[in-house]
Amino acid sequence: MSTISKKICLFGDFGVGKTSLIRQFVESKFSDEYLSTVGVKISRKMLNMSQKSVHNLEELQLLIWDIEGSNKFKAVAKNYFQGSKGAVLVGDVTQPETLNHLREHIETFLAVNPQSYIVVALNKSDMIAAEYLESIRKMYQFSNEANILDTYITSAKTGNNVNEIFQTLATHLI
């Protein structure tokens, strides 16, 4: 049995739901309690890739780096990006300013890892009327950029598209 490990980073502004997305993906749990990440927290998740891989790879271990979102941390965050093969960039659909920072976050990450892939997660979709979500997703699609795989409307609370963001990234990492 063949297993490889790949480092991915979750990043975005403060309070957008990065830790909640990871917890939903890794543990299938959600909590309304807010816990601020200080520095970085690393989680692991094994994915069965035997049906998706052409390389006899049976398992992919994702090492998920949950990176603090505060502005004072931006200079240090670049050090945590080192060696990352992919990223999930998270914005909060209820806080437009976090969406306006997505472009800057993409540029910062790709400056360190120009060959890496990014999936954009527009989180907290359970807190906004469904009829607005598709237009928001289209505004932040970034489809003309090779490194950006897709933009998803997500909810850590309901689990909407949480597995999909990580599976999309995982498929491109192998």
Side-chain angles (χ1 to χ4, degrees):
M1 176 157 88
S2 172
T3 302
I4 61 170
S5 294
K6 297 284 183 175
K7 174 184 175 179
I8 64 169
C9 294
L10 251 83
F11 64 102
D13 285 2
F14 179 80
V16 295
K18 300 177 293 291
T19 302
S20 293
L21 284 171
I22 293 170
R23 190 161 191 223
Q24 181 63 256
F25 177 62
V26 174
E27 303 173 27
S28 299
K29 292 181 182 173
F30 176 80
S31 172
D32 281 326
E33 274 183 40
Y34 182 74
L35 295 172
S36 181
T37 302
V38 178
V40 67
K41 180 181 185 281
I42 302 171
S43 301
R44 287 185 170 86
K45 172 90 176 197
M46 296 296 287
L47 299 177
N48 182 335
M49 303 301 286
S50 56
Q51 278 77 42
K52 298 177 181 89
S53 175
V54 294
H55 305 293
N56 285 337
L57 174 68
E58 293 185 23
E59 287 188 319
L60 174 64
Q61 177 179 241
L62 292 181
L63 301 173
I64 307 166
W65 289 48
D66 180 1
I67 298 174
E68 176 182 347
S70 71
N71 286 335
K72 67 179 174 20
F73 192 68
K74 279 186 181 173
V76 181
K78 292 178 184 179
N79 295 325
Y80 288 129
F81 292 163
Q82 291 290 335
S84 182
K85 300 303 178 197
V88 177
L89 173 55
V90 185
D92 179 344
V93 294
T94 70
Q95 297 181 57
E97 68 276 7
T98 70
L99 303 177
N100 294 335
H101 297 153
L102 293 175
R103 164 70 52 210
E104 179 186 342
H105 291 310
I106 289 168
E107 291 168 3
T108 302
F109 181 78
L110 291 177
V112 177
N113 297 300
Q115 301 302 314
S116 291
Y117 294 107
I118 297 174
V119 173
V120 177
L122 305 177
N123 199 33
K124 302 187 183 181
S125 63
D126 58 286
M127 298 176 71
I128 195 165
E131 60 265 20
Y132 300 115
L133 293 173
E134 185 56 26
S135 62
I136 293 170
R137 189 185 73 78
K138 284 181 181 173
M139 286 173 41
Y140 299 98
Q141 187 59 41
F142 307 106
S143 56
N144 58 339
E145 297 182 36
N147 298 72
I148 312 295
L149 299 176
D150 209 345
T151 299
Y152 289 89
I153 297 294
T154 63
S155 169
K157 185 174 189 175
T158 67
N160 182 47
N161 282 329
V162 174
N163 287 335
E164 288 79 357
I165 60 176
F166 290 98
Q167 288 290 342
T168 296
L169 202 50
T171 301
H172 282 80
L173 295 180
I174 53 173

